[in-house]
Amino acid sequence: MKTFQWTMKDELGLHARVAGELVKCVSAGTSHVTLEKGGKTADASRLFAVMALCVRQGEVVTVSVEGPNEEKDSAVLQEFCEKNF
Amino acid sequence: MQKIRGIAASGGVAFGPVRFFEPPKRKIAARKAEDREQEFARAEWAREAARQELEELCRVVGREIGGESEKIFQIHAMMLEDDDFREAIRRAILTEGWAAEYAIRRATDQMIAMFAGMEDTYMRARLADVQDIGQRMLRALDPELAEFPELPAGCVAAAPYFTPSQVLRLCGCGVLGFVTREGSRTSHAAILVRMLSVPAVAALGVSYSRLSDGAGVIVDGFTGDVVLNPDEETAREYHACERKPAVGEEAPGQLRTLPSRTRGGRAVKILAKIWRQSDLPLVLESGAEGVGLFRTESLFRNRSAPPPEEEQYQIYLSLARQLGDRPLTVRTTTQDGRLQSFGEEMNPAMGVRGIRFSFENPEVLCTQLRAILRAAADHNVAVTFPMVTSAEELRHARAILQRAMRELRGEGVPFSEKLPVGVMIDTPAAALIADELAREADFFDVGTNGLTQFTLAADRSNPAVSTLYNFHHPAVLELVRRAVFAAKNAGIPSVVCGDAAGDPRMLSYFLGLGVEALSVPPSSVLELRRAIRSME
């Protein structure tokens, strides 16, 4: 399992349109991706679950990537997060 | 005549009779499935039909409205496909034995309840989106279950809140404006209304009950005012800036590239203000002639330490690069998330803000100035200082700028030796000593929001005094005049910013003063350009 942390920079937090992009990015890979914030976790391929985490600007999210392609998927995802949030 | 006030959700002025938009509350019976498999197939069919509708809708709105409008409906399509949502429907039918309609309603309500319980107003606004997809699925099964009542053209639609699909449909009917009891500027319905350039006022709260069906109102989407039963004089005043779709009117697409020039040939520069880096695509799309003000607080908020120089430099550089030759004015930060000294102040608006914050934290200012100086090396970048109330403060700020330049020079790092230094005229003090400040500044940003708040001693975020907050007040206008004239006399440019800058009713006043540039939110650029182009 690969994990990394990312800090939400967008002022609106992980808002709907951005959450949608994230879910799409996760679905494009084959790994199982989990988001964790303050003890709550969410399956990153599920839009409602991701939105329900209610990630706000400045909050830190731990992303765990698990599966046969975790190295590659994790790198793609990390780049996506850094670029978009 | 009465006036009520909500949140200005979409700029523009609309006149018309109020019509309440009330979707029929047809009760969806708690009916049990006769054949569970068949009911599930019906639900799946409804989902597929809704998905196809949304796909088509994305294409249409992408073509007709542009911007990011189709993203709103793409999110709806993704919500339909969400595993949790699908599972809730599946369980309600296959495990609990409900009919498709009732199962969809229950799954939708569950998701709505989840959003309704959120503290964050932005996230709470998402319940309208869930409502929207639920209705879309139900309509596929039986159009009468969630039909859209139409409203007569020329009216102002009123509802507790609107879903994005309702907004599209009602604009198609010729509705001229929207007023809502709940809602916010960030709901998807509000975003869509702004893209459609239809005036709207949201969050009227308890005042919403003072609206009555059929009564005439004026919706002022610039200020958030709704005038009930306006008298003739008020109506005349507002008519001056009503949006008239004249013959041969330029479409927004054309307006993007047309010059902001009056019929008499006077050019007025329209700049856009931004709050964060991600706003820039909106600016590029709006056809604005540059960024009039980049408020940098978003870079500092909610983090344990101020952003390092390199991080800030990359952000300013990336913005300046994308703008090309167009100017970028960076306002130094008025706060730093780490040092929340405000919380303990009795009156934070008059406390350690703006340049005062910078003087308490000179290292934060110096780091920010270094980043701005570096970004200005090869680009059209300027800096402006907020809340300056004396020439000494400006000199002090310039001294810190000199220090930043000395350091960079010593390190051999390229930077601009001629960074233009502006002053925000956002307090009555600054406006009253504008002549003195103009001698030492390279340009002025006339901040009408600050001027209004401090001159009238009315906090605009306090609903109890929000009716006093009025940038048309003669005292505010006089201070704006002093600042603009002082700049003119000193031969330096001035930019008028704040809410007054985006209000077409103020245009003739500003043009009369000789204002050459206005800075407004990206969403107001085209409307303002249209207004300028229709002036003599």
Side-chain angles (χ1 to χ4, degrees), chain A residues 14-16 20 46-48 57, chain B residues 75 78 82 84 122-123 302:
Chain A
L14 187 52
H15 62 78
R46 300 185 172 211
L47 182 62
F48 283 116
Q57 189 188 39
Chain B
I75 286 296
M78 290 184 74
D82 181 79
D84 293 319
Y122 175 82
M123 278 301 172
N302 296 329

Side-chain angles (χ1 to χ4, degrees), chain B residues 404-444:
Chain B
M405 289 166 85
R406 266 198 313 277
E407 287 176 8
L408 290 170
R409 211 175 287 127
E411 295 160 24
V413 178
F415 67 96
S416 166
E417 296 271 359
K418 292 189 197 123
L419 178 75
V421 176
V423 169
M424 294 285 307
I425 306 294
D426 52 3
T427 60
L432 292 169
I433 58 160
D435 283 318
E436 193 185 350
L437 292 172
R439 283 196 290 274
E440 303 191 30
D442 300 320
F443 64 94
F444 277 174

